[in-house]
Every structure is written in C-alpha cells, then in structure tokens.
Amino acid sequence: QIMSADLVWQIIGRGNSFTVKDRASGHIFSTEKGNLTGKHSYQASGLANEKVVDIQPAADGKGVEIQTSKKGSFYTSAGKFNSAVTLKRGPRKAIKAAKGITGGSFFRGDLTSTAVSRVS
C-alpha cells in the first residue's frame, strides 16, 4: 500500500538519521538529500514530499547538477532521483534553468528562490 506524504512526515517528523540539532540555538536542521533549505520541516523535506528537487555541485567540479523526482516516483526509494540536468554554461543560464525547472514547470514553485540561491 502507498502511504501519503502526511503520514510519512508524521513518522519521520520527530527525528530521523538526517536530523541535526544545534545545541546553542536549539534549531533543528536536516541533512537529507533533496532538502534545499536545510531546515527540518515538512515543506523542505526531501523524504516526505512527492516532488523533490536537489541541487549539488557537478561530479567533475564544473557547474551544478539539478536532480528532480517526478510525481508518483516518491515511493521507489529515498534518495533516488528520476532526472538529472548538469548545467555548465554559466550562472545566468543556470539561474534561468533553476527557475524553469522549479517554478516555470509548476514542479515546486515554493522552492524557486531557494533553488536560485543554491545555483548561484
């Protein structure tokens, strides 16, 4: 059976292996793949959302790689992404591509500004 994203967040929301707590300020952060902001929240979670965007430096050190998990593929496995695009043509093209992938294609419009800041 398929679990809803809300049920997944209720299970992992209190804590998981990716949760890191800052002892000085008391803030809770997350290091999971697909979490662009680093905050431990339902909106930013790469495990609990059906649509996940991850931005990492490219493997060869030139440019960035934007990975997305398409709708319906959430239940395959955590950390698995369906499509990946490597952007090497400069910061302007990378910013435009990040806007197009997140907000322009209605994938995750709430993460557009965070994706732009991670790309640049």
Side-chain angles (χ1 to χ4, degrees):
Q1 296 216 4
I2 299 174
M3 292 190 299
S4 70
D6 293 328
L7 179 60
V8 172
W9 178 250
Q10 287 179 357
I11 293 169
I12 66 168
R14 290 187 179 232
N16 56 46
S17 62
F18 301 107
T19 305
V20 178
K21 185 173 183 179
D22 185 18
R23 292 184 183 191
S25 65
H27 295 299
I28 300 174
F29 299 103
S30 182
T31 60
E32 65 199 29
K33 194 168 184 172
N35 188 337
L36 293 180
T37 61
K39 296 177 184 176
H40 183 67
S41 67
Y42 173 72
Q43 178 185 6
S45 176
L47 297 174
N49 284 310
E50 292 178 3
K51 298 179 180 180
V52 180
V53 178
D54 189 37
I55 299 174
Q56 298 293 329
D60 60 356
K62 298 177 183 177
V64 294
E65 185 175 46
I66 300 178
Q67 300 174 335
T68 58
S69 170
K70 294 181 182 175
K71 186 175 182 180
S73 63
F74 160 73
Y75 304 103
T76 55
S77 177
K80 297 261 182 170
F81 290 92
N82 291 55
S83 64
V85 177
T86 304
L87 307 170
K88 298 182 180 183
R89 298 188 68 197
R92 286 187 185 179
K93 299 264 185 182
I95 289 172
K96 186 175 180 181
K99 285 181 182 178
I101 290 172
T102 56
S105 62
F106 303 105
F107 193 73
R108 285 291 301 266
D110 56 334
L111 296 178
T112 301
S113 62
T114 307
V116 167
S117 65
R118 286 287 295 257
V119 166
S120 58

